[in-house]
Amino acid sequence: MLKCRTVWKKLAPLARASSTLCRQNVRRTALNNGRTPAYVPAAHMSSGPAGGGRANQIYVLLVGAACVGGGVYTYRTVKGDGQRYQERIEEISSRPIKTQDSYIQTEPPAVEATETEAVPEPEPEAAPSSEEPSPPAADVEAVIPPETSEAPPETSEAPPEISEAPPETSEAPPGDSAAASLKVPSHAPYLLIGGGTASFAAARSIRARDPGAKVLIVTEEPDAPYMRPPLSKELWFSDDPSVTETLRFKQWNGKERSIFFQPPSFYITAEELSSAENGGVAILTNRKVVHMDVRGNKIKLDDDTEISYDKCLIATGGVPRNLQVIERAGEEVMQKTTLFRKIEDFKELDKVSRNVKSITIIGGGFLGSELACALGRRSSEFDLEVIQMYPEKGNMGKVLPEYLSNWTTEKVKSEGVKIISEALVKSVVSKDDKLEIQLKDGRLVKTDHIVAAVGLEPNVDLAKSAGLEVDSDFGGFRVNAELQARSNIWVAGDAACFYDIRLGRRRVEHHDHAVVSGRLAGENMTGANKPYWHQSMFWSDLGPDVGYEAIGIVDSSLPTVGVFAKATAKDTPRAATELSGTGIRSESETEDTATSPVASSTPAPSGSHKDEYGKGVIFYLRDKVVVGIILWNVFNRMPIARKIIKDGEEHSDLNEVAKLFNIHDD
């Protein structure tokens, strides 16, 4: 076509000149005819008009010949160019495409394999289909320069290099890091930082609202998202000696399940995420996000890999706190101290409990009391001494009213645990292969291993680089009602400090909150724009026979009113899971709502059961309004408790309110 255009440019001036000359001759002929004398013989007219008539015919013929010749030449040129273009395409299609280190086949899956790992059996002679010459270049994102297709000598020398690549890769483990970096997608439409419950709930919510969504989870842990509650509950009561490997456990109702939310087949690999037609959820394990550029919408991993995103969720959870006296005690003490949080911590403590004679748990909250009961069950089997110490007067003294805390302490003691209350640790030293814990009141405790269960510190490491606000009172990333920290950044789970429309600004560290806040964040990431109004609950089990569920602000410093009744065989965590069919009670109850609860018609017993707290309801009050409720061995009634707190009304007789929970029914 270029040649045709050139020829036309050359012929056009000639055609225009010929046309102009013809018009001039016509005008001259007309003028000459006007001056011709009348006596000119008519015989002269037979040969045409005088003064240039013949020249005009010659010019017309010349223009016609030029047009015909140009058309013929153009036709032949276009046809020839088409043939040469087709031959060129066939030549290019028959060549293998060369990258820096290996060949990439034209089918996308083969391209991914070449990018991520060495090809054990290269086939450079296999020519790709001539019908699909362009997809490889698109898949490798311009790694192959255009000049590659025009350099046959370089391409022809590639096969010998490839045949030597596999041995080099197998003998050079450091090269694996470079291959691994190729597996990380450069862009993720939905990026979730953290691999816990909140992150998984968000991923599931995003996929529910956007079935084609591409979600990437980046987690420091080596495992896919899993449930944390069984780590301190059901897993310790398993009869399977290989439970630390299978991570499967029997719930209180006897049904078996895995600690992981989904099997590996649920997820796709990170390198498949970009090309997945129907989207999916991919996980990058053992990767830490060290920097966040909120203006550029990208993050940097600990290996300097950068990933851009459209929308991002921060669900980094928290880090177990430790006592400063233990941190200052030195490496030898730290090696014999467990900060319980992850699967690795469960495996380590399980191994330690089978090989030492004494374990001391520091902390009297939910986690410390659950682990004390779990290890106490092993005390007789493994000749293990289990000690629990805390600064309060009784177990869960910061949550339960004093009378119920004392009752709980006796329950823990009955499990074979030695309780040391009102204990403030002064120092910890390693001496004679033992750890000596010196208390401020002079008491000395010797033990083989320490479990520090003294709370959680929200992980806000990204706040500085991202420029996100951290709440000075509660810790965690400060977010608005939609759990947003920025226009395209959300926070959920333990790391989120949110505003509760009933109870004010809060930060919650429980499983149910992680589920609900993660779900809501995922919905809002897909455009729902919903405010966070849900009152999350939490639960704790002291074995299969005693457990409670709580909602709202449960602080022992608040005034409380407790209404109790005699428990029956069905008023246990075991019976509750048999009824609901799940050991993770929040997963079944969070979808329920309370609708016009009907009070029990059975009257309350006339005489109170002194020191017998089989089952009951404890109301926590602030300004005469119920702000928190604990259901003690009362299960599957949480929607009612949630509605009472949501209503925010004053109640003159809480005994009547307690009837809504049917605690006096057998």
Side-chain angles (χ1 to χ4, degrees), residues 58-71:
I58 293 175
Y59 289 132
V60 172
L61 292 175
L62 178 60
V63 172
C67 292
V68 173

Side-chain angles (χ1 to χ4, degrees), residues 3 21 278 421 447 521 553 603 612 637:
K3 293 181 179 180
L21 187 57
N278 298 321
S421 61
T447 188
I553 298 177
E612 183 178 337
R637 300 287 192 278

Side-chain angles (χ1 to χ4, degrees), residues 304-622:
D304 291 333
T305 301
E306 290 188 348
I307 304 175
S308 61
Y309 60 84
D310 295 330
K311 297 179 181 180
C312 178
L313 172 71
I314 300 176
T316 48
V319 180
R321 291 193 185 101
N322 197 359
L323 297 177
Q324 292 186 358
V325 293
I326 296 179
E327 293 177 342
R328 294 195 299 261
E331 186 64 26
E332 190 172 358
V333 173
M334 286 296 297
Q335 289 179 352
K336 295 181 179 180
T337 300
T338 296
L339 302 178
F340 199 89
R341 176 70 172 171
K342 305 176 181 178
I343 290 178
E344 290 76 8
D345 303 326
F346 164 71
K347 293 181 177 181
E348 176 191 359
L349 188 57
D350 177 79
K351 181 179 179 181
V352 168
S353 67
R354 300 174 186 270
N355 294 282
V356 300
K357 296 297 183 181
S358 173
I359 294 179
T360 297
I361 301 169
I362 302 178
F366 309 110
L367 178 62
S369 299
E370 289 173 358
L371 289 176
C373 288
L375 292 172
R377 289 286 182 99
R378 291 189 174 185
S379 59
S380 58
E381 180 181 356
F382 295 98
D383 191 21
L384 175 68
E385 181 187 31
V386 180
I387 304 171
Q388 184 185 15
M389 61 172 61
Y390 40 77
E392 297 81 24
K393 292 183 179 180
N395 282 75
M396 292 180 284
K398 291 184 178 181
V399 176
L400 302 178
E402 184 176 354
Y403 63 89
L404 198 54
S405 174
N406 293 336
W407 186 92
T408 304
T409 301
E410 295 301 318
K411 169 64 178 175
V412 175
K413 286 181 180 179
S414 67
E415 296 291 343
V417 181
K418 179 181 179 181
I419 299 295
I420 302 178
S421 61
E422 300 180 280
L424 297 174
V425 180
K426 181 179 180 180
S427 65
V428 180
V429 296
S430 178
K431 185 177 180 180
D432 299 332
D433 202 29
K434 286 276 188 179
L435 296 180
E436 294 186 353
I437 305 174
Q438 182 72 49
L439 303 182
K440 289 186 177 182
D441 59 4
R443 288 177 290 181
L444 181 67
V445 178
K446 294 184 179 181
T447 188
D448 295 318
H449 197 83
I450 292 176
V451 178
V454 292
L456 195 71
E457 193 71 30
N459 185 350
V460 292
D461 292 344
L462 293 175
K464 185 175 181 180
S465 64
L468 301 178
E469 182 181 3
V470 176
D471 190 87
S472 57
D473 295 327
F474 300 98
F477 296 96
R478 198 177 178 93
V479 297
N480 63 13
E482 287 78 29
L483 302 180
Q484 276 185 304
R486 287 289 187 276
S487 59
N488 63 338
I489 299 176
W490 288 258
V491 186
D494 300 341
C497 181
F498 62 98
Y499 182 77
D500 189 312
I501 60 176
R502 285 293 178 190
L503 307 177
R505 188 160 290 277
R506 305 174 63 198
R507 190 179 64 83
V508 181
E509 299 173 356
H510 296 294
H511 176 85
D512 183 62
H513 169 68
V515 172
V516 177
S517 63
R519 179 192 304 151
L520 179 65
E523 291 178 356
N524 288 342
M525 291 174 77
T526 56
N529 297 322
K530 294 181 179 180
Y532 187 87
W533 59 267
H534 179 83
Q535 284 292 334
S536 61
M537 57 85 71
F538 63 91
W539 79 99
S540 181
D541 295 335
L542 302 179
D545 300 323
V546 176
Y548 63 88
E549 298 175 352
I551 187 173
I553 298 177
V554 286
D555 187 337
S556 60
S557 64
L558 294 174
T560 61
V561 175
V563 181
F564 292 89
K566 187 175 182 179
T568 63
K570 64 181 181 180
D571 299 316
T572 64
R574 189 195 309 272
T577 54
E578 289 176 353
L579 180 62
S580 65
T582 174
I584 307 300
R585 295 196 287 274
S586 65
E587 290 185 353
S588 61
E589 65 85 24
T590 49
E591 300 297 337
D592 296 335
T593 57
T595 55
S596 302
V598 179
S600 171
S601 59
T602 305
S606 56
S608 62
H609 300 274
K610 185 177 180 181
D611 296 338
E612 183 178 337
Y613 307 108
K615 64 178 179 179
V617 182
I618 302 97
F619 299 98
Y620 291 74
L621 306 176
R622 187 168 63 188

Side-chain angles (χ1 to χ4, degrees), residues 143-431:
V143 172
I144 306 170
E147 290 78 10
T148 304
S149 62
E150 299 180 6
E154 295 181 3
T155 307
S156 62
E157 296 174 1
E161 297 177 5
I162 292 182
S163 62
E164 299 174 2
E168 292 177 4
T169 303
S170 60
E171 296 175 4
D176 294 343
S177 61
S181 64
L182 294 177
K183 297 181 180 180
V184 180
S186 60
H187 179 77
Y190 295 95
L191 178 66
L192 313 184
I193 304 175
T197 300
S199 187
F200 178 79
R204 188 164 52 184
S205 179
I206 290 171
R207 291 278 296 167
R209 288 177 54 88
D210 182 3
K214 298 178 180 180
V215 183
L216 177 64
I217 298 176
V218 181
T219 174
E220 297 181 43
E221 297 193 47
D223 306 293
Y226 58 90
M227 297 174 286
R228 297 192 191 276
L231 294 179
S232 59
K233 296 181 177 72
E234 293 92 340
L235 283 174
W236 290 97
F237 296 88
S238 174
D239 297 328
D240 185 2
S242 61
V243 65
T244 55
E245 300 301 326
T246 63
L247 296 176
R248 297 188 63 84
F249 62 95
K250 287 185 178 180
Q251 302 171 117
W252 302 140
N253 59 5
K255 295 181 180 180
E256 186 177 273
R257 69 175 297 176
S258 171
I259 193 175
F260 294 99
F261 288 111
Q262 292 289 346
S265 59
F266 173 82
Y267 306 96
I268 63 175
T269 60
E271 60 267 28
E272 293 174 338
L273 187 63
S274 299
S275 59
E277 294 182 3
N278 298 321
V281 180
I283 306 177
L284 280 179
T285 57
N286 294 311
R287 302 294 180 91
K288 182 179 181 180
V289 178
V290 296
H291 186 272
M292 190 171 186
D293 181 2
V294 295
R295 292 187 177 181
N297 291 342
K298 61 183 178 180
I299 62 166
K300 180 185 290 186
L301 304 181
D302 48 4
D303 61 355
D304 291 333
T305 301
E306 290 188 348
I307 304 175
S308 61
Y309 60 84
D310 295 330
K311 297 179 181 180
C312 178
L313 172 71
I314 300 176
T316 48
V319 180
R321 291 193 185 101
N322 197 359
L323 297 177
Q324 292 186 358
V325 293
I326 296 179
E327 293 177 342
R328 294 195 299 261
E331 186 64 26
E332 190 172 358
V333 173
M334 286 296 297
Q335 289 179 352
K336 295 181 179 180
T337 300
T338 296
L339 302 178
F340 199 89
R341 176 70 172 171
K342 305 176 181 178
I343 290 178
E344 290 76 8
D345 303 326
F346 164 71
K347 293 181 177 181
E348 176 191 359
L349 188 57
D350 177 79
K351 181 179 179 181
V352 168
S353 67
R354 300 174 186 270
N355 294 282
V356 300
K357 296 297 183 181
S358 173
I359 294 179
T360 297
I361 301 169
I362 302 178
F366 309 110
L367 178 62
S369 299
E370 289 173 358
L371 289 176
C373 288
L375 292 172
R377 289 286 182 99
R378 291 189 174 185
S379 59
S380 58
E381 180 181 356
F382 295 98
D383 191 21
L384 175 68
E385 181 187 31
V386 180
I387 304 171
Q388 184 185 15
M389 61 172 61
Y390 40 77
E392 297 81 24
K393 292 183 179 180
N395 282 75
M396 292 180 284
K398 291 184 178 181
V399 176
L400 302 178
E402 184 176 354
Y403 63 89
L404 198 54
S405 174
N406 293 336
W407 186 92
T408 304
T409 301
E410 295 301 318
K411 169 64 178 175
V412 175
K413 286 181 180 179
S414 67
E415 296 291 343
V417 181
K418 179 181 179 181
I419 299 295
I420 302 178
S421 61
E422 300 180 280
L424 297 174
V425 180
K426 181 179 180 180
S427 65
V428 180
V429 296
S430 178
K431 185 177 180 180

